[in-house]
Amino acid sequence: MLLKQLANRLLSLRSVSVQRFLLNPCGSYYTPIACSLQCVRFKYTPNKGVQGIRNRKSQFESNANQQENEDSEDQENEEFGQSLNLDDSEYDLVANGAMRVTRKSTQPQNVLVIQPYVKWSVKRTTNITPEDQIQEAEALIHSITNWRVAMSIKVPLESLERKTLFGKGKMEELKQIVNELRYNKSHNQQPLTCIFVSKGTLSFAQKSLLEATFKLPVMDRYSVVIQILRLHAASAEARLQVAMAEIPYIWGQAKDYNTSKSTKLGYSLTDTQRDILKTREKKLKSELERIRTHRKLLRNKRKQNNYPIIAVVGYTNAGKTSLIKALTQEQTIEPRDQLFATLDVTAHAGKLPCNLEVIYMDTVGFMSDLPTGLIECFVATLEDAMLADVILHIHDVSHNCYDSQKQHVEQTLKSLTDNLIASGAEEPATLPTIINVGNKIDLLARGKRTIEEFQGFLVSAKKQNGLMPLLEEIEQQVLKTTQRKKITIRVPNGGAEMSWLYKNSAVVNIKVDQTNAQILLMDIIIKESVLQQFKKQFCK
């Protein structure tokens, strides 16, 4: 304001010489000004002001932007909450009627585990023995808080495709066992509350007959796994995918319902419930597509930063998270000895022996005897694995059926890849390079069992044994897949070339040129396209 008044005053005096002392905001005086109006030229100089004012302004603007972003996120979350309520009580009634699942998963349950299997080995569709199948079924029950196994029994059958599943004589035997467990009060044993038939999915007719016979809720593998997924789904993304996984099962149960029979047999859908399911399914698909788009943006950002992606896949509880912790030395990772402990695909930064930075992607585990549709509901996050540069397939070699688990994971990966291509997504024409890793060799060392002819790398993520050969193989495959190469380049010491290479390549080693102390020899790993950018900028 003072400078503006001075200018106006000088213009009014025309050819008069002016000398003034002006007081600045700090209380000191500016240097006297002497000039003739015929040669006056005013030059604008930004007022720097008091030290710290600009910083406070920037901080204020930053806080304002941050608040604006938070308000935007809150608004988005609010819109999401209004558009889709995952805790809808009306939907819970439908889901509980179809799957016998509940949100109160901590409520104690005493479960009878029934493992049906085909007694003739030539007719079996799996190489897993009945003993291992029932062991896995028990592990599923133990994965749910406060659920315990009252008894486990194996039931040999000629076929698993019968409409009633069990014959009349076998049904009577099972009914007697159920009654004994229900009314047996010895040893303070809790009464039987639920029956788990360890079969992928039971039809509506099979489930209705069993529940009518045993007078207890009956669950199959699909519904038990859904209960576990509900328990372990912590993030909004995971909860969305679990909610989507429930829908096909409910529609399947409704489809099996025969309207010509009495409704007293059990589950059916009213018109209102069908509308609830259709609306929920539509909104879930929309939200999952939004997640898919968001993850695509994240993948593109990682590609722009030239980070190689290494996806870690495998059967559930094979030790995927433990291996990532061992490879990255990230102490915040907390592996859990549970089935389906990981539901979110998470990214973890690591370095290869050549100093190249990579990203390891942890993924949800697979399990046999489950419809592929259940895993396909996680395709929004599993795309990160399908589109990685290298895949680490983790095997639990201490498990008796690790070979069957390996085959199941490979089949699932192929199925997911085919679905991605069919849906027109970013397509890998084929699966990325797969490195087989046999984990938990520390259990083999204790004499639990031995393995032969394993084609891959044997490690112990827990004991951190055998990691260096694995890292070297990962490095070799990453360099090959991403078309990176190791070269030595001469650059001026402390020059712009040196800074550029540190930013855009992996620097393995640096040493001074013996013939010229001002020149450095840099051993680097760089992509061909990035090398061409370097040549264009510095080699003119």
Side-chain angles (χ1 to χ4, degrees), residues 452-491:
E452 296 179 357
E453 299 180 355
F454 179 79
Q455 301 295 323
F457 295 84
L458 295 175
V459 303
S460 170
K462 183 177 180 179
K463 302 294 184 180
Q464 299 195 11
N465 296 331
L467 298 182
M468 186 51 66
L470 174 60
L471 282 169
E472 292 173 351
E473 176 65 17
I474 295 174
E475 176 182 309
Q476 181 179 348
Q477 294 300 330
V478 164
L479 296 183
K480 179 180 178 181
T481 303
T482 62
Q483 297 181 346
R484 284 175 165 86
K485 56 184 179 181
K486 295 180 181 180
I487 63 172
T488 300
I489 190 168
R490 302 174 77 250
V491 297

Side-chain angles (χ1 to χ4, degrees), residues 428-453:
T430 58
L431 275 172
T433 301
I434 297 179
I435 301 175
N436 290 304
V437 183
N439 190 25
K440 302 187 181 182
I441 59 172
D442 52 305
L443 298 181
L444 297 177
R446 293 206 298 262
K448 186 171 183 178
R449 56 185 297 270
T450 59
I451 60 172
E452 296 179 357
E453 299 180 355

Side-chain angles (χ1 to χ4, degrees), residues 254-284:
K255 183 179 179 181
D256 287 339
Y257 180 72
N258 190 343
T259 56
S260 64
K261 295 184 180 180
S262 173
T263 57
K264 69 180 182 179
L265 289 178
Y267 173 73
S268 64
L269 288 177
T270 64
D271 291 339
T272 302
Q273 289 173 333
R274 288 181 180 275
D275 290 340
I276 290 174
L277 269 183
K278 289 179 181 178
T279 303
R280 187 180 179 90
E281 184 177 19
K282 182 179 179 180
K283 291 181 177 179
L284 283 171

Side-chain angles (χ1 to χ4, degrees), residues 243-260:
M244 188 64 209
E246 299 172 4
I247 303 295
Y249 184 89
I250 299 175
W251 281 126
Q253 293 290 294
K255 183 179 179 181
D256 287 339
Y257 180 72
N258 190 343
T259 56
S260 64

Side-chain angles (χ1 to χ4, degrees), residues 312-375:
V312 183
V313 304
Y315 207 80
T316 182
N317 205 30
K320 299 180 291 296
T321 305
S322 298
L323 182 63
I324 291 177
K325 181 175 183 178
L327 293 175
T328 62
Q329 297 299 309
E330 185 178 335
Q331 299 304 317
T332 57
I333 300 178
E334 296 181 359
R336 290 176 291 170
D337 187 14
Q338 290 180 330
L339 300 181
F340 298 106
T342 300
L343 294 185
D344 294 294
V345 173
T346 54
H348 306 273
K351 280 190 177 183
L352 298 179
C354 64
N355 209 31
L356 178 64
E357 293 182 344
V358 296
I359 294 178
Y360 293 94
M361 305 296 296
D362 199 358
T363 62
V364 61
F366 303 141
M367 175 174 274
S368 63
D369 200 12
L370 287 177
T372 307
L374 192 152
I375 296 297

Side-chain angles (χ1 to χ4, degrees), residues 86-109:
L86 291 180
D87 298 328
D88 184 4
S89 58
E90 293 183 358
Y91 168 77
D92 285 344
L93 291 176
V94 179
N96 186 41
M99 296 187 291
R100 300 295 185 258
V101 297
T102 175
R103 298 201 180 277
K104 298 179 180 179
S105 57
T106 57
Q107 182 178 353
Q109 296 283 356

